[in-house]
């Protein structure tokens, strides 16, 4: 009989560290939608935000804690009383809630950022863990910048925080400086040296500044780590975090090297990747491992021939195991409400009430009038561009028309309503989208600056929906508006108004950076 394998805990931080990617802000409803997908994928721990960072972050953590039943819901907190109390409040509704508290332990961070002596840092860490344990039994402690910290100091602080009740000890490679051999050995040495190490799970959290986040995380797993912190599509601060899909599939594919098991249902990987990409406006590069459009595409004749003869000649994983087979024709003009609802549910999109389902069904019907074949990607785009319930519809596109002719400047006429009042605006621009945005601005005068404009064809064919992201910034606040339509200029106008509505609703949000204490 084979021995039971160790469980590798998958801790997803797309909603917290992922959101720290410049420009990747998400609304509360969007976070809940992603969290539900992560839960469906059977992620063990969902880090839903940094509750103290803003009212919006607090509300989002709380909403995720209310919505998610099966995964543990976690909030980040600096090793500060106020942070920990706020995190505790936010995770209260969770079936299982975790407080993740951290303080920097490297000489450079302690001296320049915290301006604290190591003994003070140790005291604050123990106090933080002790306080957090008053609110939940599940406390994680992170030694920020662990990969550049002194070994003996780490031994002392880890032993003390485990004694104070931390069940998970996270050793982040905060600045992406680690190298796989060295980072992995750090885990082994610490686990061997710390007398009470067996009372905690050791965790990795790697950033990708040198492109080594996944390699470093896997090396840590080979040296005793039993939790990996990661994000969908590798989203995250600067160059991002270790990509969840790569970690999960590497562990599954190389069981000979990493005989541990995750609880992840990998079939939800591709739909979740798409959802995160469409919500954040961060496209997935075609050659990205696992979730890139070309990840399973074999172009060379020799490879195709080999695959036809014996699939394993060139394929180490099956596309359908990570959810690629969901890209199939599912619905059309004649599909009924029940079929549409069932397909939405298969994609992890559950409507809380009949009105929301009715609205989605109406949009589906509109789309089916314009587009013959409705794919899963279309359904996802359709939902992404529906105004979430927490966004007020100040600005609405009523209709628009365009005049374009080779050799002349395009001219846009936009009919829109602002808080119920109708306006007509016209403008010329260097292109049809430019003219449309200028027309909208002539009414709105938003004072925003455009940070990103991207348009992607959601499916193949010229009747594809165009999925547009518009990123606007105002006074340091950033929002991502999304819009989808078979007409990409209409999609652009919708995305622009969605971004304006987001700014009007929440004033946007600035990103919680790793501040000092
Ligand atoms: O990168 C980092 O060190 C972090 C910690 C707060 C866990 O994100
Ligand atoms: Zn991080």
């Amino acid at each position: 009989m084979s021995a039971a394998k160790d469980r590798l805990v998958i801790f997803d931080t797309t909603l917290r560290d992922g959101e720290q990617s410049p420009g990747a802000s998400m609304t509360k409803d969007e976070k809940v939608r992603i969290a539900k997908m992560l839960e469906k994928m059977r992620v063990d721990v969902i880090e839903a935000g940094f509750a103290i960072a803003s009212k919006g972050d607090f509300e989002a953590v709380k909403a995720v804690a209310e919505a998610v039943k099966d995964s543990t819901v976690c909030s980040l907190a600096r090793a500060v009383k106020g942070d920990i109390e706020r995190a505790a409040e936010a995770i209260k509704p969770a079936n299982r809630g975790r407080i993740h508290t951290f303080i920097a332990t490297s000489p450079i961070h302690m001296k320049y950022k915290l301006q604290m002596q190591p003994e003070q840092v140790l005291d604050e860490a123990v106090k933080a863990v002790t306080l957090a344990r008053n609110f939940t039994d599940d406390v994680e402690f992170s030694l920020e910048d662990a990969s550049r910290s002194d070994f003996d100091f780490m031994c002392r602080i880890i032993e003390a925080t485990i004694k104070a009740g931390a069940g998970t000890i996270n050793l982040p490679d905060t600045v992406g400086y680690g190298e796989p051999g060295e980072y992995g050995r750090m885990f082994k040495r610490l686990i061997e040296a710390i007398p009470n190490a067996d009372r905690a799970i050791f965790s990795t959290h790697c950033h990708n500044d040198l492109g080594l986040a996944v390699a470093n995380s896997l090396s840590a797993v080979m040296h005793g780590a039993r939790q990996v912190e990661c994000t969908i599509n590798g989203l995250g601060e600067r160059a991002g975090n270790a990509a969840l899909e790569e970690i999960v599939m590497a562990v599954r594919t190389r069981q000979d090297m990493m005989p541990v098991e995750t609880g992840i249902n990998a079939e939800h990987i591709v739909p979740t990747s798409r959802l995160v990409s469409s919500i954040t406006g961060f496209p997935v590069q075609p050659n990205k491992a696992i979730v890139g459009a070309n990840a399973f595409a074999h172009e060379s004749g020799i490879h195709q021939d080999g695959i036809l003869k014996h699939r394993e000649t060139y394929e180490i994983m099956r596309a359908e195991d990570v959810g690629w087979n969901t890209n199939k024709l599912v619905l059309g003009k004649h599909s009924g409400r029940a079929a549409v609802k069932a397909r939405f549910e298969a994609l992890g999109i559950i409507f809380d009430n009949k009105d929301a389902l009715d609205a989605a069904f109406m949009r589906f019907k509109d789309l089916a009038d314009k587009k013959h074949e409705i794919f899963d990607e279309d359904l996802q785009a359709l939902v992404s561009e529906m105004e979430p319930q927490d966004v007020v519809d100040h600005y609405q596109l009523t209709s628009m028309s365009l005049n374009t002719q080779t050799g002349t400047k395009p001219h846009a006429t936009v009919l829109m309503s602002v808080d119920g009042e109708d306006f007509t605006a016209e403008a010329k621009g260097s292109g049809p989208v430019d003219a449309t945005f200028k027309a909208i601005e002539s009414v709105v005068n938003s004072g925003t600056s455009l940070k990103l404009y991207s348009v992607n064809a959601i499916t193949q064919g010229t009747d594809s929906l165009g999925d547009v992201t518009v990123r606007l910034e105002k006074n340091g606040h950033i929002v991502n508006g999304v819009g989808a339509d078979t007409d990409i200029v209409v999609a652009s106008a919708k995305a622009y108004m969605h971004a304006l509505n987001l700014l009007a609703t929440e004033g946007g949000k600035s990103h919680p950076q790793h501040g000092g204490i």
Side-chain angles (χ1 to χ4, degrees), residues 430-492:
S430 53
V433 174
D434 188 45
T436 305
F437 288 2
K438 282 191 172 126
I440 297 172
E441 273 301 325
S442 72
V443 173
V444 174
N445 276 320
S446 69
T448 56
S449 67
L450 180 68
K451 292 290 166 198
L452 174 131
Y453 169 75
S454 85
V455 52
N456 287 301
I458 292 182
T459 52
Q460 286 168 355
T462 47
D463 70 343
S464 166
L465 275 182
D467 192 17
V468 173
T469 302
V470 168
R471 183 172 301 151
L472 295 181
E473 192 250 2
K474 187 173 180 182
N475 303 330
H477 298 313
I478 294 176
V479 290
N480 287 305
V482 290
D485 200 280
T486 46
D487 179 331
I488 58 166
V489 186
V490 174
S492 304

Side-chain angles (χ1 to χ4, degrees), residues 98-128:
R98 173 180 294 191
I99 296 176
H100 174 192
T101 184
F102 74 99
I103 192 165
T105 53
S106 63
I108 186 170
H109 276 230
M110 290 191 289
K111 182 169 174 195
Y112 294 105
K113 186 182 81 171
L114 300 178
Q115 296 177 344
M116 285 167 106
Q117 294 300 319
E119 293 315 309
Q120 246 180 307
V121 168
L122 197 148
D123 271 4
E124 297 301 331
V126 170
K127 274 202 298 206

